[in-house]
Short mmCIF file of all heavy atoms in Angstrom, two decimals:
data_model
loop_
_atom_site.label_atom_id
_atom_site.label_comp_id
_atom_site.label_asym_id
_atom_site.label_seq_id
_atom_site.Cartn_x
_atom_site.Cartn_y
_atom_site.Cartn_z
N MET X 1 -17.59 1.88 -4.18
CA MET X 1 -17.09 1.54 -5.55
C MET X 1 -18.48 1.51 -6.44
O MET X 1 -19.45 1.01 -6.05
CB MET X 1 -16.49 0.01 -5.53
CG MET X 1 -16.25 -0.56 -6.85
SD MET X 1 -15.70 -2.13 -6.77
CE MET X 1 -13.98 -1.76 -6.75
N LYS X 2 -18.27 1.90 -7.62
CA LYS X 2 -19.36 2.03 -8.63
C LYS X 2 -19.63 0.61 -9.17
O LYS X 2 -18.63 -0.03 -9.46
CB LYS X 2 -19.09 3.13 -9.68
CG LYS X 2 -19.05 4.44 -9.07
CD LYS X 2 -18.97 5.33 -10.09
CE LYS X 2 -18.98 6.82 -9.62
NZ LYS X 2 -19.32 7.89 -10.67
N GLU X 3 -20.89 0.34 -9.45
CA GLU X 3 -21.26 -0.86 -10.14
C GLU X 3 -21.78 -0.54 -11.49
O GLU X 3 -22.49 0.43 -11.64
CB GLU X 3 -22.43 -1.57 -9.27
CG GLU X 3 -21.99 -2.16 -8.02
CD GLU X 3 -20.99 -3.29 -8.13
OE1 GLU X 3 -21.06 -4.14 -8.96
OE2 GLU X 3 -20.02 -3.31 -7.25
N LEU X 4 -21.25 -1.30 -12.46
CA LEU X 4 -21.71 -0.99 -13.76
C LEU X 4 -22.47 -2.20 -14.35
O LEU X 4 -22.17 -3.39 -14.03
CB LEU X 4 -20.53 -0.84 -14.81
CG LEU X 4 -19.51 0.40 -14.34
CD1 LEU X 4 -18.30 0.42 -15.24
CD2 LEU X 4 -20.34 1.69 -14.58
N SER X 5 -23.48 -2.00 -15.20
CA SER X 5 -24.31 -3.05 -15.79
C SER X 5 -23.37 -3.87 -16.84
O SER X 5 -22.32 -3.29 -17.25
CB SER X 5 -25.54 -2.51 -16.47
OG SER X 5 -25.14 -1.84 -17.62
N LYS X 6 -23.82 -5.03 -17.14
CA LYS X 6 -22.98 -5.68 -18.15
C LYS X 6 -23.03 -5.07 -19.48
O LYS X 6 -21.89 -5.07 -20.19
CB LYS X 6 -23.69 -7.22 -18.37
CG LYS X 6 -23.61 -8.04 -17.14
CD LYS X 6 -22.32 -8.81 -17.11
CE LYS X 6 -22.41 -9.90 -15.94
NZ LYS X 6 -21.03 -10.45 -15.84
N GLU X 7 -24.06 -4.38 -19.82
CA GLU X 7 -24.12 -3.69 -21.08
C GLU X 7 -23.17 -2.45 -21.10
O GLU X 7 -22.42 -2.20 -22.13
CB GLU X 7 -25.47 -3.11 -21.41
CG GLU X 7 -26.56 -4.23 -21.66
CD GLU X 7 -27.06 -4.90 -20.33
OE1 GLU X 7 -26.96 -4.34 -19.23
OE2 GLU X 7 -27.71 -6.06 -20.55
N LYS X 8 -23.01 -1.80 -19.96
CA LYS X 8 -22.15 -0.65 -19.80
C LYS X 8 -20.62 -1.10 -19.86
O LYS X 8 -19.90 -0.43 -20.44
CB LYS X 8 -22.47 0.14 -18.64
CG LYS X 8 -23.73 1.00 -18.84
CD LYS X 8 -23.90 1.92 -17.50
CE LYS X 8 -25.24 2.70 -17.72
NZ LYS X 8 -25.47 3.68 -16.68
N ILE X 9 -20.40 -2.18 -19.27
CA ILE X 9 -19.01 -2.82 -19.13
C ILE X 9 -18.68 -3.13 -20.57
O ILE X 9 -17.56 -2.77 -21.09
CB ILE X 9 -18.94 -4.01 -18.21
CG1 ILE X 9 -19.11 -3.65 -16.77
CG2 ILE X 9 -17.78 -4.78 -18.49
CD1 ILE X 9 -19.17 -4.67 -15.80
N GLU X 10 -19.53 -3.83 -21.27
CA GLU X 10 -19.22 -4.31 -22.66
C GLU X 10 -19.03 -3.04 -23.56
O GLU X 10 -18.00 -3.11 -24.31
CB GLU X 10 -20.34 -5.14 -23.24
CG GLU X 10 -20.16 -5.48 -24.73
CD GLU X 10 -18.92 -6.40 -24.91
OE1 GLU X 10 -18.47 -7.10 -24.02
OE2 GLU X 10 -18.37 -6.21 -25.95
N ALA X 11 -19.78 -1.98 -23.48
CA ALA X 11 -19.63 -0.85 -24.32
C ALA X 11 -18.34 -0.15 -23.98
O ALA X 11 -17.69 0.38 -24.76
CB ALA X 11 -20.85 0.05 -24.14
N ALA X 12 -18.00 0.01 -22.72
CA ALA X 12 -16.75 0.51 -22.32
C ALA X 12 -15.63 -0.20 -22.72
O ALA X 12 -14.58 0.43 -23.12
CB ALA X 12 -16.78 0.66 -20.63
N VAL X 13 -15.59 -1.48 -22.58
CA VAL X 13 -14.51 -2.35 -23.00
C VAL X 13 -14.30 -2.20 -24.51
O VAL X 13 -13.11 -2.06 -25.03
CB VAL X 13 -14.69 -3.82 -22.51
CG1 VAL X 13 -13.60 -4.72 -23.15
CG2 VAL X 13 -14.61 -3.91 -21.07
N ALA X 14 -15.48 -2.37 -25.29
CA ALA X 14 -15.21 -2.26 -26.84
C ALA X 14 -14.73 -0.88 -27.22
O ALA X 14 -13.76 -0.79 -28.08
CB ALA X 14 -16.61 -2.41 -27.38
N THR X 15 -15.09 0.20 -26.52
CA THR X 15 -14.55 1.62 -26.83
C THR X 15 -13.13 1.71 -26.46
O THR X 15 -12.34 2.15 -27.17
CB THR X 15 -15.43 2.61 -26.03
OG1 THR X 15 -16.77 2.49 -26.48
CG2 THR X 15 -14.88 4.03 -26.28
N LEU X 16 -12.85 1.14 -25.31
CA LEU X 16 -11.37 1.15 -24.80
C LEU X 16 -10.50 0.46 -25.83
O LEU X 16 -9.43 1.03 -26.25
CB LEU X 16 -11.28 0.78 -23.40
CG LEU X 16 -9.92 0.66 -22.77
CD1 LEU X 16 -9.39 2.13 -22.64
CD2 LEU X 16 -9.89 -0.04 -21.33
N GLN X 17 -11.04 -0.72 -26.21
CA GLN X 17 -10.12 -1.60 -27.09
C GLN X 17 -10.07 -0.88 -28.46
O GLN X 17 -8.91 -0.80 -29.12
CB GLN X 17 -10.74 -2.83 -27.22
CG GLN X 17 -9.85 -3.94 -28.01
CD GLN X 17 -10.34 -5.28 -27.74
OE1 GLN X 17 -11.49 -5.56 -27.54
NE2 GLN X 17 -9.49 -6.26 -28.08
N SER X 18 -11.06 -0.26 -28.98
CA SER X 18 -11.05 0.52 -30.31
C SER X 18 -10.14 1.62 -30.20
O SER X 18 -9.40 1.85 -31.16
CB SER X 18 -12.41 0.90 -30.57
OG SER X 18 -13.30 -0.02 -30.84
N VAL X 19 -10.09 2.43 -29.07
CA VAL X 19 -9.17 3.57 -29.02
C VAL X 19 -7.70 3.10 -28.88
O VAL X 19 -6.86 3.68 -29.52
CB VAL X 19 -9.57 4.42 -27.78
CG1 VAL X 19 -8.50 5.55 -27.55
CG2 VAL X 19 -10.93 5.09 -28.02
N ALA X 20 -7.53 2.12 -28.12
CA ALA X 20 -6.11 1.53 -28.06
C ALA X 20 -5.68 1.06 -29.34
O ALA X 20 -4.57 1.28 -29.65
CB ALA X 20 -6.05 0.52 -26.95
N ASP X 21 -6.48 0.32 -30.00
CA ASP X 21 -6.27 -0.18 -31.41
C ASP X 21 -5.87 0.87 -32.42
O ASP X 21 -4.99 0.97 -33.15
CB ASP X 21 -7.25 -1.13 -31.96
CG ASP X 21 -7.37 -2.46 -31.29
OD1 ASP X 21 -6.32 -2.81 -30.48
OD2 ASP X 21 -8.38 -3.19 -31.46
N ALA X 22 -6.78 1.99 -32.39
CA ALA X 22 -6.59 3.09 -33.26
C ALA X 22 -5.29 3.90 -33.04
O ALA X 22 -4.68 4.31 -33.97
CB ALA X 22 -7.74 4.02 -33.16
N ARG X 23 -4.83 3.86 -31.80
CA ARG X 23 -3.64 4.61 -31.54
C ARG X 23 -2.46 3.52 -31.61
O ARG X 23 -1.25 3.94 -31.24
CB ARG X 23 -3.69 5.04 -30.08
CG ARG X 23 -4.70 6.22 -29.97
CD ARG X 23 -4.75 6.78 -28.58
NE ARG X 23 -5.66 7.88 -28.56
CZ ARG X 23 -5.91 8.67 -27.46
NH1 ARG X 23 -5.17 8.52 -26.56
NH2 ARG X 23 -7.01 9.43 -27.49
N LYS X 24 -2.67 2.44 -32.04
CA LYS X 24 -1.61 1.25 -32.17
C LYS X 24 -0.82 1.05 -30.83
O LYS X 24 0.26 0.91 -30.89
CB LYS X 24 -0.80 1.70 -33.31
CG LYS X 24 -1.55 1.87 -34.70
CD LYS X 24 -0.71 1.47 -35.88
CE LYS X 24 -1.37 1.74 -37.22
NZ LYS X 24 -2.62 1.09 -37.25
N LEU X 25 -1.69 1.11 -29.68
CA LEU X 25 -1.03 0.75 -28.50
C LEU X 25 -1.13 -0.75 -28.21
O LEU X 25 -2.16 -1.24 -28.28
CB LEU X 25 -1.67 1.53 -27.31
CG LEU X 25 -1.67 3.03 -27.33
CD1 LEU X 25 -2.49 3.60 -26.31
CD2 LEU X 25 -0.25 3.38 -27.11
N SER X 26 0.05 -1.30 -27.73
CA SER X 26 0.07 -2.67 -27.39
C SER X 26 -0.49 -2.66 -25.88
O SER X 26 -0.58 -1.70 -25.15
CB SER X 26 1.46 -3.19 -27.30
OG SER X 26 2.32 -2.51 -26.36
N GLN X 27 -0.82 -3.91 -25.38
CA GLN X 27 -1.35 -3.98 -24.02
C GLN X 27 -0.17 -3.51 -23.04
O GLN X 27 -0.55 -3.01 -22.06
CB GLN X 27 -1.75 -5.46 -23.88
CG GLN X 27 -3.07 -5.79 -24.58
CD GLN X 27 -3.46 -7.16 -24.36
OE1 GLN X 27 -2.89 -7.94 -23.61
NE2 GLN X 27 -4.53 -7.54 -25.13
N SER X 28 1.05 -3.84 -23.39
CA SER X 28 1.98 -3.51 -22.54
C SER X 28 2.19 -1.97 -22.43
O SER X 28 2.48 -1.41 -21.34
CB SER X 28 3.47 -4.04 -22.97
OG SER X 28 3.46 -5.40 -22.88
N GLN X 29 2.15 -1.32 -23.46
CA GLN X 29 2.11 0.19 -23.55
C GLN X 29 0.91 0.75 -22.77
O GLN X 29 1.10 1.81 -22.03
CB GLN X 29 2.02 0.62 -24.92
CG GLN X 29 3.37 0.45 -25.76
CD GLN X 29 3.21 0.78 -27.23
OE1 GLN X 29 2.26 0.42 -27.86
NE2 GLN X 29 4.16 1.42 -27.74
N LEU X 30 -0.29 0.21 -22.94
CA LEU X 30 -1.42 0.57 -22.16
C LEU X 30 -1.30 0.31 -20.71
O LEU X 30 -1.63 1.16 -19.81
CB LEU X 30 -2.63 -0.20 -22.63
CG LEU X 30 -4.04 0.26 -22.10
CD1 LEU X 30 -4.15 1.81 -22.28
CD2 LEU X 30 -5.19 -0.42 -22.69
N GLU X 31 -0.54 -0.76 -20.41
CA GLU X 31 -0.23 -1.01 -18.93
C GLU X 31 0.72 0.18 -18.29
O GLU X 31 0.48 0.62 -17.27
CB GLU X 31 0.56 -2.31 -18.82
CG GLU X 31 1.14 -2.56 -17.34
CD GLU X 31 2.02 -3.79 -17.32
OE1 GLU X 31 2.71 -4.05 -18.28
OE2 GLU X 31 2.07 -4.38 -16.30
N ASP X 32 1.74 0.60 -19.15
CA ASP X 32 2.60 1.63 -18.66
C ASP X 32 1.84 2.98 -18.54
O ASP X 32 2.13 3.53 -17.56
CB ASP X 32 3.75 1.91 -19.71
CG ASP X 32 4.65 0.71 -19.78
OD1 ASP X 32 4.75 -0.10 -18.77
OD2 ASP X 32 5.43 0.54 -20.74
N LEU X 33 0.99 3.13 -19.36
CA LEU X 33 0.18 4.49 -19.28
C LEU X 33 -0.86 4.39 -18.12
O LEU X 33 -1.19 5.55 -17.49
CB LEU X 33 -0.56 4.78 -20.57
CG LEU X 33 0.27 5.02 -21.78
CD1 LEU X 33 -0.56 5.03 -23.07
CD2 LEU X 33 0.90 6.31 -21.61
N SER X 34 -1.54 3.28 -17.96
CA SER X 34 -2.63 3.26 -17.03
C SER X 34 -2.33 2.56 -15.72
O SER X 34 -3.25 2.73 -14.78
CB SER X 34 -3.79 2.41 -17.66
OG SER X 34 -3.47 1.16 -17.73
N LYS X 35 -1.26 1.88 -15.56
CA LYS X 35 -0.85 1.29 -14.24
C LYS X 35 -1.86 0.10 -13.97
O LYS X 35 -1.94 -0.29 -12.92
CB LYS X 35 -0.80 2.20 -13.12
CG LYS X 35 0.02 3.36 -13.32
CD LYS X 35 1.48 2.97 -13.65
CE LYS X 35 2.36 4.13 -13.84
NZ LYS X 35 3.27 4.12 -14.95
N VAL X 36 -2.51 -0.45 -15.01
CA VAL X 36 -3.33 -1.76 -14.92
C VAL X 36 -2.42 -2.76 -15.60
O VAL X 36 -1.96 -2.57 -16.75
CB VAL X 36 -4.62 -1.61 -15.65
CG1 VAL X 36 -5.41 -2.81 -15.65
CG2 VAL X 36 -5.51 -0.49 -14.98
N ASN X 37 -2.22 -3.85 -14.75
CA ASN X 37 -1.42 -4.91 -15.36
C ASN X 37 -1.72 -5.44 -16.79
O ASN X 37 -2.99 -5.57 -17.10
CB ASN X 37 -1.37 -6.16 -14.37
CG ASN X 37 -0.74 -5.83 -13.07
OD1 ASN X 37 0.21 -5.04 -13.02
ND2 ASN X 37 -1.19 -6.59 -12.02
N GLN X 38 -0.82 -5.77 -17.60
CA GLN X 38 -0.98 -6.24 -18.85
C GLN X 38 -1.81 -7.42 -18.91
O GLN X 38 -2.72 -7.69 -19.77
CB GLN X 38 0.26 -6.49 -19.65
CG GLN X 38 0.13 -6.94 -21.10
CD GLN X 38 0.07 -8.47 -21.11
OE1 GLN X 38 0.41 -9.20 -20.46
NE2 GLN X 38 -0.88 -8.89 -22.12
N SER X 39 -1.71 -8.42 -17.88
CA SER X 39 -2.46 -9.56 -17.90
C SER X 39 -3.95 -9.29 -17.56
O SER X 39 -4.89 -9.95 -18.18
CB SER X 39 -1.92 -10.52 -16.83
OG SER X 39 -1.93 -9.92 -15.54
N THR X 40 -4.11 -8.24 -16.77
CA THR X 40 -5.63 -7.89 -16.52
C THR X 40 -6.17 -7.18 -17.73
O THR X 40 -7.37 -7.48 -18.02
CB THR X 40 -5.58 -6.88 -15.30
OG1 THR X 40 -5.06 -7.46 -14.26
CG2 THR X 40 -6.99 -6.42 -15.05
N ILE X 41 -5.40 -6.34 -18.43
CA ILE X 41 -5.85 -5.73 -19.69
C ILE X 41 -6.37 -6.96 -20.73
O ILE X 41 -7.27 -6.77 -21.34
CB ILE X 41 -4.95 -4.84 -20.32
CG1 ILE X 41 -4.77 -3.60 -19.41
CG2 ILE X 41 -5.21 -4.39 -21.66
CD1 ILE X 41 -3.59 -2.78 -19.59
N SER X 42 -5.44 -7.92 -20.82
CA SER X 42 -5.63 -9.04 -21.76
C SER X 42 -6.97 -9.71 -21.38
O SER X 42 -7.74 -10.04 -22.28
CB SER X 42 -4.58 -10.05 -21.70
OG SER X 42 -4.83 -11.15 -22.56
N LYS X 43 -7.17 -9.91 -20.12
CA LYS X 43 -8.47 -10.64 -19.61
C LYS X 43 -9.60 -9.82 -19.90
O LYS X 43 -10.77 -10.37 -20.26
CB LYS X 43 -8.31 -11.14 -18.27
CG LYS X 43 -7.36 -12.13 -17.96
CD LYS X 43 -7.11 -12.40 -16.38
CE LYS X 43 -5.98 -13.29 -16.17
NZ LYS X 43 -5.58 -13.29 -14.74
N ILE X 44 -9.45 -8.37 -19.69
CA ILE X 44 -10.63 -7.50 -20.00
C ILE X 44 -10.89 -7.57 -21.46
O ILE X 44 -12.16 -7.78 -21.94
CB ILE X 44 -10.29 -6.14 -19.52
CG1 ILE X 44 -10.10 -6.10 -18.05
CG2 ILE X 44 -11.21 -5.11 -20.17
CD1 ILE X 44 -9.53 -4.76 -17.44
N PHE X 45 -9.95 -7.42 -22.26
CA PHE X 45 -10.20 -7.41 -23.74
C PHE X 45 -10.74 -8.68 -24.38
O PHE X 45 -11.43 -8.70 -25.44
CB PHE X 45 -8.80 -6.98 -24.57
CG PHE X 45 -8.57 -5.42 -24.42
CD1 PHE X 45 -7.33 -5.04 -24.97
CD2 PHE X 45 -9.36 -4.60 -23.80
CE1 PHE X 45 -7.06 -3.59 -24.90
CE2 PHE X 45 -9.06 -3.24 -23.68
CZ PHE X 45 -7.87 -2.79 -24.30
N SER X 46 -10.30 -9.83 -23.78
CA SER X 46 -10.84 -11.15 -24.23
C SER X 46 -12.19 -11.42 -23.54
O SER X 46 -12.71 -12.55 -23.77
CB SER X 46 -9.91 -12.23 -23.95
OG SER X 46 -9.71 -12.48 -22.58
N ARG X 47 -12.59 -10.52 -22.72
CA ARG X 47 -13.95 -10.65 -22.00
C ARG X 47 -13.82 -11.92 -21.03
O ARG X 47 -14.93 -12.44 -20.65
CB ARG X 47 -15.15 -10.92 -22.86
CG ARG X 47 -15.38 -9.88 -23.95
CD ARG X 47 -14.91 -8.44 -23.76
NE ARG X 47 -15.49 -7.50 -24.70
CZ ARG X 47 -14.80 -6.93 -25.58
NH1 ARG X 47 -13.49 -7.25 -25.94
NH2 ARG X 47 -15.29 -6.00 -26.42
N ALA X 48 -12.68 -12.28 -20.58
CA ALA X 48 -12.52 -13.43 -19.63
C ALA X 48 -12.98 -12.96 -18.27
O ALA X 48 -13.35 -13.82 -17.36
CB ALA X 48 -11.13 -13.90 -19.54
N ILE X 49 -12.89 -11.58 -17.85
CA ILE X 49 -13.40 -11.09 -16.61
C ILE X 49 -14.21 -9.90 -16.93
O ILE X 49 -14.00 -9.17 -17.93
CB ILE X 49 -12.10 -10.83 -15.73
CG1 ILE X 49 -11.31 -9.60 -16.27
CG2 ILE X 49 -11.41 -11.94 -15.41
CD1 ILE X 49 -10.23 -9.11 -15.22
N ASP X 50 -15.01 -9.52 -15.90
CA ASP X 50 -15.71 -8.22 -15.95
C ASP X 50 -14.75 -7.28 -15.12
O ASP X 50 -14.52 -7.59 -13.82
CB ASP X 50 -17.01 -8.28 -15.24
CG ASP X 50 -18.06 -9.06 -16.08
OD1 ASP X 50 -17.83 -9.06 -17.26
OD2 ASP X 50 -19.11 -9.53 -15.53
N PRO X 51 -14.28 -6.23 -15.73
CA PRO X 51 -13.37 -5.39 -14.92
C PRO X 51 -14.01 -4.59 -13.77
O PRO X 51 -15.13 -4.26 -14.00
CB PRO X 51 -12.86 -4.43 -16.08
CG PRO X 51 -13.92 -4.38 -17.14
CD PRO X 51 -14.58 -5.70 -17.02
N SER X 52 -13.16 -4.18 -12.88
CA SER X 52 -13.66 -3.28 -11.82
C SER X 52 -13.87 -1.91 -12.33
O SER X 52 -13.29 -1.68 -13.55
CB SER X 52 -12.60 -3.34 -10.61
OG SER X 52 -11.46 -2.60 -10.93
N TYR X 53 -14.42 -1.09 -11.69
CA TYR X 53 -14.61 0.33 -12.13
C TYR X 53 -13.24 0.92 -12.30
O TYR X 53 -12.92 1.51 -13.32
CB TYR X 53 -15.38 1.09 -11.09
CG TYR X 53 -15.47 2.57 -11.36
CD1 TYR X 53 -16.39 3.02 -12.39
CD2 TYR X 53 -14.70 3.52 -10.69
CE1 TYR X 53 -16.54 4.40 -12.72
CE2 TYR X 53 -14.89 4.82 -10.99
CZ TYR X 53 -15.78 5.24 -11.97
OH TYR X 53 -15.90 6.63 -12.26
N ASP X 54 -12.31 0.80 -11.41
CA ASP X 54 -10.99 1.28 -11.49
C ASP X 54 -10.11 0.78 -12.63
O ASP X 54 -9.32 1.33 -13.25
CB ASP X 54 -10.07 1.12 -10.21
CG ASP X 54 -10.55 2.07 -9.06
OD1 ASP X 54 -11.19 3.08 -9.43
OD2 ASP X 54 -10.44 1.77 -7.90
N ASN X 55 -10.40 -0.61 -12.82
CA ASN X 55 -9.55 -1.20 -14.06
C ASN X 55 -10.15 -0.61 -15.42
O ASN X 55 -9.55 -0.88 -16.47
CB ASN X 55 -9.68 -2.75 -13.96
CG ASN X 55 -8.79 -3.26 -13.03
OD1 ASN X 55 -7.75 -2.52 -12.49
ND2 ASN X 55 -8.85 -4.45 -12.52
N LEU X 56 -11.42 -0.06 -15.49
CA LEU X 56 -11.68 0.69 -16.60
C LEU X 56 -11.42 2.13 -16.54
O LEU X 56 -10.98 2.71 -17.57
CB LEU X 56 -13.25 0.51 -16.73
CG LEU X 56 -13.76 -0.83 -17.37
CD1 LEU X 56 -15.30 -0.79 -17.32
CD2 LEU X 56 -13.26 -1.01 -18.64
N LYS X 57 -11.47 2.74 -15.48
CA LYS X 57 -11.33 4.10 -15.32
C LYS X 57 -9.89 4.51 -15.63
O LYS X 57 -9.59 5.55 -16.34
CB LYS X 57 -11.60 4.65 -13.87
CG LYS X 57 -11.50 6.08 -13.67
CD LYS X 57 -11.66 6.54 -12.19
CE LYS X 57 -10.51 6.10 -11.45
NZ LYS X 57 -10.35 6.58 -10.17
N ASN X 58 -8.93 3.78 -15.04
CA ASN X 58 -7.52 4.12 -15.29
C ASN X 58 -7.02 4.11 -16.64
O ASN X 58 -6.42 5.15 -17.14
CB ASN X 58 -6.63 3.24 -14.33
CG ASN X 58 -6.78 3.46 -12.93
OD1 ASN X 58 -7.37 4.46 -12.49
ND2 ASN X 58 -6.40 2.56 -12.03
N PRO X 59 -7.38 3.17 -17.48
CA PRO X 59 -6.91 3.05 -18.93
C PRO X 59 -7.64 4.35 -19.71
O PRO X 59 -7.12 4.97 -20.49
CB PRO X 59 -7.45 1.90 -19.45
CG PRO X 59 -7.45 0.98 -18.22
CD PRO X 59 -7.91 1.72 -17.10
N TYR X 60 -9.04 4.64 -19.25
CA TYR X 60 -9.68 5.72 -19.95
C TYR X 60 -9.01 6.97 -19.73
O TYR X 60 -8.76 7.78 -20.56
CB TYR X 60 -11.12 5.74 -19.52
CG TYR X 60 -12.15 4.97 -20.43
CD1 TYR X 60 -12.47 3.66 -20.23
CD2 TYR X 60 -12.77 5.66 -21.50
CE1 TYR X 60 -13.30 2.98 -20.99
CE2 TYR X 60 -13.63 5.05 -22.45
CZ TYR X 60 -13.93 3.71 -22.13
OH TYR X 60 -14.95 3.15 -22.97
N GLN X 61 -8.69 7.27 -18.39
CA GLN X 61 -7.97 8.51 -18.12
C GLN X 61 -6.74 8.58 -18.71
O GLN X 61 -6.21 9.73 -19.21
CB GLN X 61 -7.81 8.56 -16.53
CG GLN X 61 -9.13 8.84 -15.85
CD GLN X 61 -8.94 9.07 -14.39
OE1 GLN X 61 -8.06 8.38 -13.84
NE2 GLN X 61 -9.86 9.66 -13.71
N ALA X 62 -5.93 7.47 -18.84
CA ALA X 62 -4.58 7.42 -19.47
C ALA X 62 -4.67 7.74 -20.83
O ALA X 62 -3.77 8.41 -21.50
CB ALA X 62 -4.02 6.10 -19.26
N LEU X 63 -5.75 7.38 -21.69
CA LEU X 63 -5.99 7.77 -23.08
C LEU X 63 -6.63 9.09 -23.38
O LEU X 63 -6.78 9.45 -24.42
CB LEU X 63 -6.72 6.58 -23.63
CG LEU X 63 -6.11 5.10 -23.80
CD1 LEU X 63 -7.06 4.18 -24.28
CD2 LEU X 63 -4.80 5.24 -24.46
N GLY X 64 -6.99 9.77 -22.25
CA GLY X 64 -7.45 11.07 -22.43
C GLY X 64 -9.01 10.95 -22.85
O GLY X 64 -9.65 11.73 -23.48
#
């Protein structure tokens, strides 16, 4: 499993959230596309948790 620094995680989350917002995707829609639970996406976006590599990779891949 890959380890990401706090700075890289923050940048990745901010970018992911910006892209999802720009595409007007709800967290539920992002869940459907990425197969990451909506509750996990919510915790990631609110910075309540540091996401695993896969919990960042899957939404990124889903958004292209």
Side-chain angles (χ1 to χ4, degrees):
M1 176 184 268
K2 294 189 178 198
E3 292 293 323
L4 299 173
S5 69
K6 294 276 187 189
E7 293 81 18
K8 287 185 179 184
I9 290 172
E10 178 58 33
V13 170
T15 300
L16 181 62
Q17 192 168 17
S18 291
V19 171
D21 289 346
R23 295 185 185 183
K24 302 206 183 309
L25 291 173
S26 69
Q27 291 178 3
S28 295
Q29 290 169 315
L30 188 54
E31 173 187 32
D32 292 341
L33 293 170
S34 69
K35 307 303 182 220
V36 174
N37 290 332
Q38 181 276 326
S39 62
T40 301
I41 293 169
S42 176
K43 290 174 187 171
I44 292 169
F45 284 178
S46 68
R47 306 332 191 252
I49 63 168
D50 286 336
S52 70
Y53 177 77
D54 286 336
N55 281 342
L56 281 176
K57 181 186 78 166
N58 293 345
Y60 264 93
Q61 286 180 333
L63 295 176

